[in-house]
Amino acid sequence: MTPPRARSWGRKGCTPVVRVRGRGTGRVSIAGLTCYKPGKRSRTFFSVREYPGRKGEPKGIGWRDLRDLLVRAHIQLGGPIVLVWDNLRMHLVEPMRQFIADHADGLTVFQLPSYSPDLNPQEGIWSLVKRDIGNLAAADLGQITRAAKRRFKQIQYRPDLVDGCLSGTGLIMDG
């Protein structure tokens, strides 16, 4: 529940201050895929996990969540997927590697260099989502989750924004 920092407008000489509770136990984790295919509309898929801070519950996105997101994207796209991944720890765990090996006929994976957010179009999507919720003074964790989902849904209906995230990387599609 620790609020993100963002810029805002205020009266001249008066810095706007938003008071929030001091608890920082909650967390909203989001996994996303940005999909491009020449001649087709760009797509984005996402999965959200809310962690209210209770012991014994998963704190973030796990490899099973990533697997389910890939399966859902594969079903909706109806074809093989070429996956370009950063080096997030969940991408490299053994069960995820085994899943990729078991589905090698419809899933090809390329790893980005160690730290290269400038080559990852999904970083542009994260920027758009964070920009929208940057000044949100949420009363509870559910409000943050709803705001993030709402922004992701808006982006899903704007393939031009998704295309802009690819062009921002400087990468091109052959085909």
Side-chain angles (χ1 to χ4, degrees), residues 33-54:
L33 290 174
T34 307
C35 305
Y36 302 96
K37 187 173 184 179
K40 300 284 185 178
R41 150 179 107 82
S42 299
R43 309 268 305 265
T44 185
F45 299 93
F46 68 96
S47 177
V48 177
R49 178 175 294 261
E50 190 176 293
Y51 172 66
R54 290 187 216 109

Side-chain angles (χ1 to χ4, degrees), residues 148-168:
K149 283 182 176 180
R150 181 177 53 248
R151 184 60 179 142
F152 242 108
K153 272 293 199 202
Q154 290 171 345
I155 292 169
Q156 282 181 323
Y157 288 107
R158 298 273 313 273
D160 55 318
L161 288 178
V162 181
D163 288 339
C165 291
L166 178 65
S167 64

Side-chain angles (χ1 to χ4, degrees), residues 116-129:
S116 54
D118 52 329
L119 296 176
N120 190 351
Q122 189 63 35
E123 293 294 333
I125 301 292
W126 299 136
S127 175
L128 292 170
V129 172

